Amino acid sequence: MAYIRSRKHGAHCAPALKSTTAALLALAVPAASVAAEATLPTVTVTAPTEQPEYKVDRVSSPKFTEPLLNTTQTISVISEQLVKEQGATTLTEALRNSPGVSTFFLGENGNTTTGDAIYMRGFDTSNSIYVDGVRDLGSVSRDTFNVGQIEVTKGPAGTDYGRSAPTGAINLVTKRASLEDASSASLTAGNDYLRATADLNRAITAIEGAAIRLNVMGQQGGVEGRDEVENDRWGVAASLAYGLGSPTRAFLDLMHVQQNNMPDGGVPTIGLPGYSSPDPKRPFLTDAGRVNPENFYGTTSDYDDVRTDMVTFTVEHDLSPTATLRNTTRWGKTRQDYLLTSFMGSTANLLTPNPADPSTWTLARSSPTFKNQTNEILTNQTNVNATLVTGGITHDLSAGIEFIQEKQTNLSTVRTGNWPAANLYDPDPNVSGMTWALNGGHADGETRTAAAYLFDTLKLNEQWQINGGMRVERYKTEYQNIAACGGTGNSAIPCNGAATGTLVTAADLDDSDTLFNWKLGVLYKPAPNGSIYANYATSQQPPGGSNFTLSTNANNAGNPDYKPQEARTAEIGTKWDLLDQQLSLSAAIYRTEVRNEVEQDPVDLQYYQTGKKRVQGIELGAVGQITKAWGISAGFTIMDTEVLSGANVGNDDSKDLNYTPKNAFTAWTSYNLGHGITVAGGGRYVGQLQRGKDGAVGTPKYVESYWVFDGMAAYAVNKNINLQLNVYNLFDEDYVAAINKSGYRYTPGTPRSARLTANFTF
């Protein structure tokens, strides 16, 4: 049945947020009262004089047997403390601490990307996001309320994780129960924004070695600088541990998150630098003024509803003092249902009935995007770590097997009618005229994988180490598309005598193969606190490996007749732990080549896997403590990208890759002044980005570089209460955060804004 959907913003999230806020206040107020009573005889405030550390010495995955200092790869770890100081609530916000990693791409012409659409070193990494080493599916925004640290592995990660993006992977480490009792909560308020979290950990005294941890989160509110857009969500995560401190340990981790958002389709690029008229008959558009970046061109019927559930059971057993066996079973499911009204400012859609009066200009809302997608994963991973000595050589071994089943289902929607056009400079979201409903069509993709891997670090002596790894995996992808026949253009589906709208099998395809990935590194330690290394690694992405979609189209990399995309990276670098091991410095030079890209031959017009791309550059990093009171996290990268073989992907005459800054810098530093006062601040620089290449006329070919600075000040009222003020975009920089392929739309950067947080510990 057709319907029109509307809702009051925040209605779904408000009850959860109110109950969460009430619980936090109930916990915090008594703690504050007790502290106040304890300090009544004096006016002395006791506050820490040392700054909590940013430096993390090793990643969580047992596949990495050595600390970061001795790991022959660029890996940056974003700590929970850094995320907390910056007030970062999503993965996208936290990743600003890794240079050149962000959501630069807004989507195709009529299809706006949602969630964590991450680009890293020139390639889309959205489908290489993991939680505790297990792939996390879905184009959703991930909250940080249950994240202990974020690990960004740069360079091919095929040996570590299996099929993945060519330039790296991102792993989120969840918070787990421990035997240390700890309780904390926070309440954050801003302009049309409210967020509450709590983190409670308790040892279960009745059961030796048992503990429980509970994390809860509730948020509702708008997005600074954007009318109508909202991010409302709530979540709860529980961790139960048994056998802590014993040779056998078990963990049961549960998580449930719901989001009820108003999505953002961006604003027109008209008036931006580089914009010109898409119509030679209307040259006045070249000098048209910019639209207000706060304008919302969607409708109040738009929505983005997400439900995420995850259950993880892990057992660890120490076989000996030098060997540990682990088994992890994970079931996860994410369902995303959204309608997003976007647009294309083409000649046909941008109407100017009275050229002299911009108040009459309109923009057609011609590109509604529907998605009703469910992702599900079931996996079992077994790993053994062992240290042994043979012939005077120490081996740190990690070996395992993995069995993974991943599914994706997309339900088809049919619409009737259209939204009325929006006034270009004064859009009204309160419109009607379009109805939609599911039509019974569905596209189902499934990939089953069985893999085995082995890693070994050979310590030849105090100075020299050799490490290597290999992974063999057998996969099979099946894809079936049941669609309503009929239509026109490229999307037309033959009815073969059936009535238009009849459900027919539009595609029934499968693909299977065996992938082999490997890496090899050599490390030299000139001193115990330093290392110099060289590394070579590979990864592969088979047809349908990133989106479970196979195709018979010759120009589609998802065609099962094609070979997997291949990536190879060579890296030389050095890492040093200085200032009594408190400050880590790193530098690396790398080159990545991606092969087997599908390209059209200009002579016979046939498609072949002859395309090749290259990304090379330098990355520098510094993280840790300069003094006990002074902490820093900084990174800088230079990226030189080039299409070595094949057509340009950017919309200019160069061979550069799109959505990739040539230079990027990020830094955050904090200082504890004593007397309970901490100040912090940072900046990030993103170089010029060029958009994708297509037939769009008049749109900007690139977006300009920008600097953004943030600041933070915190005051410890007492040992239980800390007040934190974050100010974002201190100098109110006007910048483009993301641009779509054609350049018709962009996401404005967040203007100057502030949030005040009360942190409680008890």
Side-chain angles (χ1 to χ4, degrees):
M1 179 177 178
Y3 61 93
I4 295 178
R5 177 169 181 164
S6 62
R7 65 184 177 88
K8 183 179 179 181
H9 306 335
H12 298 282
C13 187
L17 182 60
K18 290 177 180 177
S19 60
T20 304
T21 304
L24 295 181
L25 293 177
L27 291 168
V29 172
S33 299
V34 170
E37 292 175 4
T39 58
L40 279 177
T42 68
V43 292
T44 302
V45 176
T46 302
T49 58
E50 297 183 5
Q51 182 66 14
E53 298 181 356
Y54 301 148
K55 182 173 177 283
V56 177
D57 290 326
R58 64 189 314 140
V59 298
S60 62
S61 172
K63 298 173 185 176
F64 292 86
T65 60
E66 302 302 311
L68 289 175
L69 177 66
N70 298 333
T71 299
T72 58
Q73 193 170 1
T74 298
I75 301 178
S76 58
V77 180
I78 303 168
S79 68
E80 182 183 3
Q81 175 63 25
L82 189 58
V83 171
K84 181 179 178 181
E85 285 186 9
Q86 295 176 350
T89 62
T90 65
L91 173 61
T92 297
E93 293 173 347
L95 287 175
R96 293 170 181 167
N97 293 287
S98 187
V101 181
S102 192
T103 54
F104 303 123
F105 180 47
L106 186 55
E108 298 286 347
N109 293 341
N111 185 10
T112 302
T113 54
T114 61
D116 301 316
I118 307 298
Y119 262 68
M120 179 162 63
R121 286 188 177 177
F123 289 87
D124 187 355
T125 317
S126 306
N127 292 293
S128 293
I129 298 175
Y130 301 80
V131 175
D132 299 322
V134 178
R135 191 185 307 275
D136 193 43
L137 304 174
S139 56
V140 300
S141 178
R142 295 160 178 84
D143 198 283
T144 59
F145 83 102
N146 192 43
V147 176
Q149 64 186 40
I150 300 169
E151 302 164 350
V152 183
T153 302
K154 297 187 177 180
T159 314
D160 309 310
Y161 295 108
R163 70 181 197 279
S164 59
T167 51
I170 299 163
N171 184 48
L172 284 68
V173 182
T174 57
K175 298 177 181 178
R176 274 186 169 175
S178 68
L179 293 177
E180 181 180 356
D181 288 351
S183 302
S184 63
S186 68
L187 183 63
T188 303
N191 181 26
D192 189 28
Y193 179 89
L194 186 63
R195 177 181 171 92
T197 64
D199 183 358
L200 311 175
N201 188 93
R202 290 289 184 272
I204 303 175
T205 55
I207 305 175
E208 184 177 357
I212 188 170
R213 186 171 186 173
L214 181 67
N215 274 272
V216 296
M217 173 273 300
Q219 174 182 309
Q220 70 178 49
V223 175
E224 286 284 352
R226 300 292 296 126
D227 291 343
E228 301 292 332
V229 181
E230 290 192 2
N231 291 320
D232 299 342
R233 54 184 178 262
W234 66 272
V236 58
S239 176
L240 180 64
Y242 176 78
L244 298 177
S246 72
T248 302
R249 303 165 295 279
F251 301 88
L252 177 63
D253 301 315
L254 311 171
M255 187 179 73
H256 174 81
V257 177
Q258 286 193 197
Q259 303 181 44
N260 304 102
N261 305 321
M262 175 63 77
D264 189 356
V267 300
T269 54
I270 188 169
L272 287 184
Y275 184 91
S276 61
S277 175
D279 184 356
K281 297 180 180 179
R282 295 183 290 174
F284 55 87
L285 286 174
T286 299
D287 299 319
R290 289 181 60 179
V291 304
N292 186 338
E294 296 185 3
N295 284 354
F296 179 71
Y297 292 85
T299 76
T300 52
S301 294
D302 290 4
Y303 59 92
D304 181 13
D305 296 340
V306 179
R307 173 173 175 155
T308 301
D309 293 285
M310 190 180 296
V311 180
T312 308
F313 182 65
T314 303
V315 178
E316 302 175 349
H317 177 66
D318 296 331
L319 302 172
S320 71
T322 58
T324 300
L325 178 68
R326 297 175 179 86
N327 181 269
T328 298
T329 300
R330 160 83 55 79
W331 172 84
K333 186 175 184 179
T334 298
R335 181 178 182 271
Q336 183 178 26
D337 179 16
Y338 80 72
L339 161 62
L340 190 155
T341 301
S342 53
F343 52 87
M344 290 195 298
S346 60
T347 297
N349 294 332
L350 183 57
L351 304 180
T352 57
N354 183 355
D357 186 4
S359 67
T360 67
W361 300 358
T362 62
L363 182 65
R365 295 182 173 109
S366 58
S367 304
T369 301
F370 296 95
K371 178 187 283 188
N372 193 315
Q373 179 176 291
T374 300
N375 290 97
E376 189 171 358
I377 186 169
L378 178 64
T379 183
N380 183 270
Q381 302 179 350
T382 301
N383 170 271
V384 61
N385 280 81
T387 300
L388 54 90
V389 179
T390 59
I393 299 176
T394 301
H395 297 261
D396 287 331
L397 295 167
S398 178
I401 55 175
E402 299 177 358
F403 300 96
I404 311 170
Q405 181 188 55
E406 301 164 77
K407 297 181 180 179
Q408 184 180 97
T409 298
N410 284 282
L411 304 182
S412 300
T413 303
V414 61
R415 83 174 194 264
T416 302
N418 287 292
W419 301 128
N423 183 287
L424 180 64
Y425 288 98
D426 188 19
D428 180 8
N430 299 292
V431 297
S432 60
M434 187 177 77
T435 60
W436 62 94
L438 298 177
N439 66 356
H442 54 93
D444 305 311
E446 178 180 347
T447 298
R448 296 185 298 275
T449 305
Y453 61 85
L454 173 65
F455 299 92
D456 187 10
T457 298
L458 294 79
K459 297 179 179 177
L460 307 180
N461 51 45
E462 294 295 327
Q463 284 77 42
W464 289 97
Q465 298 180 16
I466 299 176
N467 63 78
M470 60 181 181
R471 179 187 179 98
V472 179
E473 60 180 294
R474 179 69 182 177
Y475 75 89
K476 182 173 183 179
T477 298
E478 297 176 321
Y479 174 72
Q480 186 179 60
N481 184 12
I482 306 297
C485 69
T488 59
N490 295 331
S491 60
I493 299 174
C495 289
N496 298 323
T500 300
T502 301
L503 295 179
V504 299
T505 301
D508 192 353
L509 304 168
D510 65 79
D511 179 53
S512 61
D513 201 353
T514 299
L515 304 179
F516 176 75
N517 289 305
W518 59 276
K519 63 180 180 179
L520 179 65
V522 177
L523 181 138
Y524 172 68
K525 294 185 66 62
N529 64 321
S531 65
I532 302 171
Y533 66 87
N535 183 56
Y536 192 88
T538 70
S539 70
Q540 299 181 71
Q541 186 72 275
S546 62
N547 57 10
F548 305 92
T549 301
L550 299 176
S551 172
T552 57
N553 293 335
N555 64 343
N556 193 316
N559 191 315
D561 292 337
Y562 289 134
K563 298 177 182 179
Q565 177 197 68
E566 296 181 356
R568 303 178 182 181
T569 292
E571 180 176 324
I572 300 174
T574 183
K575 300 178 183 180
W576 292 86
D577 281 351
L578 304 177
L579 303 180
D580 197 23
Q581 320 298 317
Q582 296 302 302
L583 178 66
S584 174
L585 302 179
S586 62
I589 303 173
Y590 65 88
R591 171 181 286 184
T592 298
E593 287 192 358
V594 180
R595 307 177 181 181
N596 289 347
E597 296 276 282
V598 177
E599 296 290 344
Q600 186 179 33
D601 186 275
V603 178
D604 63 16
L605 301 182
Q606 300 299 307
Y607 289 90
Y608 303 94
Q609 286 190 288
T610 56
K612 185 186 297 185
K613 299 171 183 174
R614 183 181 68 198
V615 182
Q616 58 186 8
I618 300 172
E619 184 156 337
L620 309 176
V623 60
Q625 303 301 119
I626 298 175
T627 69
K628 290 184 178 181
W630 185 9
I632 187 172
S633 173
F636 172 72
T637 186
I638 299 173
M639 289 183 282
D640 175 41
T641 66
E642 184 176 356
V643 177
L644 299 177
S645 176
N648 294 359
V649 295
N651 207 335
D652 62 9
D653 296 330
S654 75
K655 291 283 188 177
D656 295 343
L657 299 186
N658 45 18
Y659 315 115
T660 304
K662 290 186 177 181
N663 302 289
F665 171 79
T666 181
W668 181 263
T669 184
S670 62
Y671 194 87
N672 191 322
L673 299 173
H675 306 289
I677 300 174
T678 300
V679 293
R684 61 184 184 276
Y685 170 80
V686 176
Q688 177 180 296
L689 302 173
Q690 63 171 340
R691 67 167 178 84
K693 183 177 183 179
D694 61 10
V697 178
T699 57
K701 295 181 179 181
Y702 63 89
V703 296
E704 296 180 320
S705 60
Y706 61 86
W707 278 96
V708 175
F709 294 91
D710 304 323
M712 187 276 287
Y715 175 64
V717 179
N718 53 46
K719 66 178 181 179
N720 299 107
I721 302 176
N722 177 282
L723 299 179
Q724 176 178 318
L725 176 66
N726 287 86
V727 181
Y728 303 101
N729 197 353
L730 284 165
F731 302 108
D732 205 19
E733 175 75 3
D734 183 12
Y735 65 99
V736 175
I739 191 169
N740 86 311
K741 182 178 181 180
S742 293
Y744 289 121
R745 297 177 284 115
Y746 78 99
T747 301
T750 304
R752 182 166 51 226
S753 57
R755 291 177 183 172
L756 179 63
T757 301
N759 296 306
F760 308 96
T761 57
F762 38 92

